[in-house]
Amino acid sequence: MNVAKALHQAITSRSEIEPFSKKGVVIGTDEAYDLQDELVALLDSPVVGYKLGLVSKAKQIQMKVSEPVYGTLTAAMEVAPEDPVPFAELIHPRCEPELVFRIGDDIDATEHPVTASEALAATAAVTGGIEIIDSRYQAFAFTHTDVIADNTSAARYVLGTRWAHPAEVDLGLLGMILEVDGEVVASAAGASLAGHPAQALALAANHLGRRGQILPAGAVVLAGGMTDAVPLKPGMSVAATYASLGSVTVRVPR
Ligand code: OOG
Ligand code: MG
C-alpha cells in the first residue's frame, strides 16, 4: 500500500481513513518522516515552515501520544485572519492556540544540536496564531508513526498580525486565553511548550538537523498547541488572545 498516496487521497476527497497501524503496517519513525515528505511533495505547494505537535502535556494527554512530532507547513495552508475557516474543505477540523516564530537567520543543526538560546537568537519575530488541524484518520485517533506520516494533522493555520522581537516578550510567562463563542474555555502560558517555547523551537531545528536539513531564514514555526484542541462546528468562533501579541479569531461559516 502506498501510505502517502492514501493520505493525499484522504485530503483531496475529504474522507477519513483507517490508521495504518491498525492495518498491520509497521513503520519506524524515520520511515514515517520519509512518508510525510512524500505526502508534502504530493501537496504540490511551496514549503514555508514547520510545526511541532504534541509538545504540551494538555495535547499529549488529549491525543494519547507522549512524544513531540514535527510537521511541514505549505503556502496553501495559510488562512488570512479575516477569512472564514474553509470548513467544507476539511474532514473533522479542530483548532488550537499556538505561538509562532519567524526565523531571521538560518538555523543549522546538521552538525550538532542547537540550544534554546541559540534558536531564539536566530529568531526575527514572534506572534500568536491558531492552528487548524484535521487528522486524516478515523475519529482523530492514531499512533506516533501514523500521525507523523499524516504530516502531524496539518491542515490550515492563521498567523497573528502583531509581531514582537523575542527580546521584547517573556515567552515562558506569556499568557494566552482561549475563548469559544465569547466564553473562556482554557488558558495557558508559553512554558506549557517543553518548559519554554524556545526549547520547542530548538527541538524542531534539531529534528530537521537530524534529517540533514536546516531551518531556513524566513520560515515560520508553529510551536505546538498550548491547550486541548477544540472541535470546530458550523457557526463557531474561536479566539486566542496573547499577552502583548494581540488576538487571533477563526470563524466557521454557518
Ligand atoms: C496531532 C497534531 C498535534 C499540536 O500542536 O499538538 C499538533 C493531532 O493532535 O492531531 O498540531
Ligand atoms: Mg498544532
Side-chain angles (χ1 to χ4, degrees), residues 17-204:
I17 57 175
E18 195 178 20
F20 299 99
S21 59
K22 284 226 172 123
K23 299 196 202 186
V25 180
V26 180
I27 48 175
T29 306
D30 287 340
E31 200 187 337
Y33 282 111
D34 292 342
L35 291 168
Q36 178 187 124
D37 288 347
E38 253 184 74
L39 171 60
V40 171
L42 290 171
L43 293 176
D44 199 24
S45 171
V47 172
V48 293
Y50 298 93
K51 57 165 281 191
L52 290 103
L54 311 174
V55 185
S56 65
K57 277 279 170 288
K59 282 288 301 187
Q60 293 183 350
I61 291 167
Q62 183 184 33
M63 304 318 296
K64 303 184 176 71
V65 176
S66 56
E67 220 188 305
V69 291
Y70 309 94
T72 312
L73 301 175
T74 70
M77 293 178 188
E78 185 170 0
V79 176
E82 59 283 355
D83 285 356
V85 175
F87 195 70
E89 295 173 13
L90 303 168
I91 305 165
H92 42 202
R94 298 178 176 183
C95 77
E96 52 195 17
E98 306 217 8
L99 289 170
V100 184
F101 293 92
R102 169 91 60 198
I103 307 306
D105 300 310
D106 290 354
I107 305 180
D108 183 350
T110 55
E111 300 282 326
H112 44 77
V114 296
T115 63
S117 50
E118 285 167 340
L120 202 57
T123 298
V126 294
T127 192
I130 291 183
E131 187 186 23
I132 298 162
I133 51 174
D134 193 31
S135 175
R136 268 57 71 169
Y137 299 122
Q138 289 160 356
F140 239 105
F142 41 68
T143 63
H144 182 242
T145 47
D146 286 330
V147 70
I148 291 168
D150 187 24
N151 196 20
T152 68
S153 310
R156 299 289 188 280
Y157 64 90
V158 186
L159 301 180
T161 51
R162 199 185 300 170
W163 292 82
H165 187 269
E168 290 167 5
V169 288
D170 184 338
L171 282 172
L173 276 174
L174 199 136
M176 182 286 308
I177 61 168
L178 187 68
E179 286 162 281
V180 174
D181 296 331
E183 196 182 314
V184 175
V185 296
S187 57
S192 60
L193 303 166
H196 193 283
Q199 186 58 44
L201 179 61
L203 287 173

Side-chain angles (χ1 to χ4, degrees), residues 6-22:
L7 286 162
H8 184 247
Q9 165 84 28
I11 293 172
T12 52
S13 65
R14 290 152 211 167
S15 46
E16 52 182 28
I17 57 175
E18 195 178 20
F20 299 99
S21 59
K22 284 226 172 123

